[in-house]
Amino acid sequence: MTTIPSQHQHYALVTETWRPQINGVANTLGRLFDGLLQNNNRIQLVRPAQSGEATGLIDHGLAQEVLVRGMPIPGYPQLQFGLPATRRLKAHWQSNRPDAIYLATEGPLGWSALRAARQLGIPIVSGFHTNFQQYSECYGLGLFYRPAVAWLRWFHNQSVLTLAASSSQQRELSRMGITNLMLLGRGVDCELFHPARRDQILRASWGVGEQDLVLLHVGRLAAEKNLQLLKRSWTALRDMPGYEGRLRMVVIGDGPLRETLERDMPDAIFTGALAGVELARAYASADIFVFPSLTETFGNVVTEAMASGLAVNAFDLAAAHQHLRDRYSGGLAPAANEEVFLSNLRWLISDSEGRRSVRLHARHRACQLGWPLILQRFEDYLRRASLSSRRVMGAIPSKQG
């Protein structure tokens, strides 16, 4: 992609989730926001007020936060989704007009931002961060799959560009009828997530010795993450011949299924959600990353595990599809093929030399995925949308008095 020469711009980012919330969308949006600021762009961040926050405008100089009303998300009472705010956003953007708007979520707040932007003629770039259409089946709401796809197709086709997290997702969105797709991708911090953070004291607190193996899972503990396969995998492998008492399962994260999983996996260690250096140390102190999800748009935890020097076992989707090679830099099973998933996991446990090679290749690949390239690509997409709008406006004859 040709880089568009840098000129400082004014952008708005609209999102339902924001730090310090721990999820892939908040992590990615935080990176994009920081990257735009570092290049001296003016940024408006539109998000729902979280618990203890008041709605209104917070001015940080180059950055402004526009906090709107929200309501708790079912199953996640600590999080809020934004309520419609069309009139407020339209009034704000009339007096403080951005060059382009990035919509990260398709809920009521995203819809109202889309509506206000279209009424004002502000170009829109949208990002596809969550496969909500797949969640309907995970929650027994299969009848909503087709309406969800229709809504997402309509929503994203209102934008100049829709940014996909991975090449496999880009193909899936194209099959859904979403046009103007471009690949954004994701980066990983290879200085934070590093094998050197391996901590024998932490491993000892998990009850494992030098020669024992730690299987690790990191993520939201919710139905859409296919965690029944995590449970089945652990049940099948914890007493694997030759490894009796030498395997430990550690689960990092929180969510509505945590209590059920703790009951069903009583010999696993559940840490709750971790972040920063504490999370990086936990990654590096494990050996094999077990990731059974089938609904990821990308899966930042996959590249974090790779950067930490873990052997990743996953399905051939999203980040794993894009950045791993089966039995070279990870274990990749065809989508939903649990037999191959378990076979790969057994191989990673039993073949110490193969596991060592996989870990080295995974770390090497992850270190090619820095954030600077992603941030430059994101800024170029926003600037391209802004310039396309200016060209359209310039082609419209002005009225003569």
Side-chain angles (χ1 to χ4, degrees):
M1 182 183 72
T2 302
T3 299
I4 300 171
S6 179
Q7 296 177 348
H8 302 320
Q9 301 273 287
H10 180 191
Y11 301 120
L13 274 60
V14 182
T15 178
E16 309 275 349
T17 181
W18 186 245
R19 52 196 178 196
Q21 296 164 13
I22 301 174
N23 58 67
V25 181
N27 175 58
T28 298
L29 265 292
R31 289 281 185 173
L32 299 178
F33 176 89
D34 291 343
L36 291 175
L37 274 185
Q38 287 166 8
N39 282 347
N40 293 315
N41 297 287
R42 293 174 57 207
I43 310 297
Q44 299 174 31
L45 176 69
V46 180
R47 63 176 179 86
Q50 297 295 325
S51 178
E53 292 183 319
T55 60
L57 179 66
I58 305 174
D59 199 327
H60 303 288
L62 280 178
Q64 289 184 333
E65 290 188 82
V66 182
L67 275 59
V68 302
R69 292 187 304 127
M71 290 186 64
I73 297 174
Y76 298 90
Q78 73 277 21
L79 304 182
Q80 305 277 319
F81 68 85
L83 296 175
T86 305
R87 291 176 61 185
R88 180 176 175 190
L89 292 177
K90 185 176 179 181
H92 179 70
W93 288 335
Q94 281 176 322
S95 60
N96 198 8
R97 183 185 179 93
D99 296 302
I101 297 170
Y102 181 69
L103 302 182
T105 51
E106 305 95 343
L109 177 58
W111 170 82
S112 63
L114 172 67
R115 188 179 180 200
R118 285 179 58 82
Q119 289 175 2
L120 296 172
I122 303 173
I124 301 160
V125 176
S126 62
F128 205 102
H129 289 267
T130 306
N131 286 323
F132 285 118
Q133 75 284 2
Q134 296 180 0
Y135 288 12
S136 59
E137 296 184 359
C138 298
Y139 289 92
L141 302 172
L143 290 175
F144 289 93
Y145 176 84
R146 296 180 76 174
V149 168
W151 163 253
L152 293 169
R153 180 170 55 241
W154 176 87
F155 184 96
H156 287 281
N157 282 344
Q158 307 304 305
S159 59
V160 177
L161 297 171
T162 293
L163 307 185
S166 64
S167 56
S168 59
Q169 185 201 43
Q170 190 174 6
R171 290 190 293 271
E172 175 62 24
L173 297 182
S174 180
R175 286 193 289 267
M176 286 169 54
I178 297 175
T179 58
N180 298 321
L181 287 161
M182 298 295 287
L183 177 65
L184 177 60
R186 299 289 186 267
V188 64
D189 186 342
C190 280
E191 293 185 7
L192 174 62
F193 299 103
H194 197 290
R197 295 192 185 275
R198 193 173 180 88
D199 187 335
Q200 295 301 332
I201 295 176
L202 177 59
R203 284 174 61 87
S205 75
W206 291 339
V208 297
E210 185 68 29
Q211 302 303 315
D212 297 340
L213 295 178
V214 174
L215 310 185
L216 178 71
H217 176 78
V218 179
R220 186 168 63 253
L221 304 183
E224 68 271 13
K225 299 298 184 177
N226 196 26
L227 296 173
Q228 289 302 307
L229 178 55
L230 181 72
K231 184 185 74 171
R232 288 194 294 272
S233 298
W234 178 236
T235 300
L237 300 176
R238 61 187 172 190
D239 294 321
M240 184 173 163
Y243 290 85
E244 298 90 341
R246 290 186 51 202
L247 300 178
R248 175 70 76 183
M249 172 67 76
V250 175
V251 180
I252 296 174
D254 215 335
L257 286 187
R258 178 174 175 177
E259 185 177 340
T260 299
L261 289 169
E262 286 183 320
R263 185 188 64 236
D264 293 344
M265 302 168 64
D267 50 354
I269 295 172
F270 289 79
T271 69
L274 302 178
V277 173
E278 193 177 12
L279 174 61
R281 186 165 56 246
Y283 270 120
S285 300
D287 301 287
I288 299 172
F289 187 68
V290 186
F291 195 61
S293 177
L294 291 162
T295 61
E296 299 302 307
T297 56
F298 184 76
N300 291 314
V301 292
V302 169
T303 50
E304 290 169 358
M306 291 168 60
S308 302
L310 272 65
V312 174
N313 192 64
F315 289 110
D316 192 9
L317 299 165
H321 169 81
Q322 190 163 330
H323 299 304
L324 293 177
R325 288 170 53 191
D326 187 36
R327 301 215 172 185
Y328 175 77
S329 50
L332 289 183
N337 192 320
E338 295 188 8
E339 183 178 348
V340 176
F341 185 90
L342 278 168
S343 175
N344 284 342
L345 193 49
R346 288 191 182 94
W347 171 70
L348 288 171
I349 291 170
S350 61
D351 190 336
S352 59
E353 188 58 31
R355 183 175 66 251
R356 186 189 72 83
S357 177
V358 159
R359 295 176 69 167
L360 289 172
H361 288 128
R363 167 70 184 175
H364 177 74
R365 174 57 181 154
C367 289
Q368 301 171 29
L369 306 176
W371 276 105
L373 176 62
I374 304 300
L375 297 173
Q376 183 61 62
R377 188 182 294 165
F378 180 63
E379 189 171 355
D380 284 350
Y381 287 145
L382 291 178
R383 192 173 295 113
R384 181 178 301 181
S386 173
L387 292 175
S388 69
S389 175
R390 292 178 191 176
R391 284 193 293 268
V392 170
M393 294 300 292
I396 299 174
S398 60
K399 292 184 179 180
Q400 301 297 318

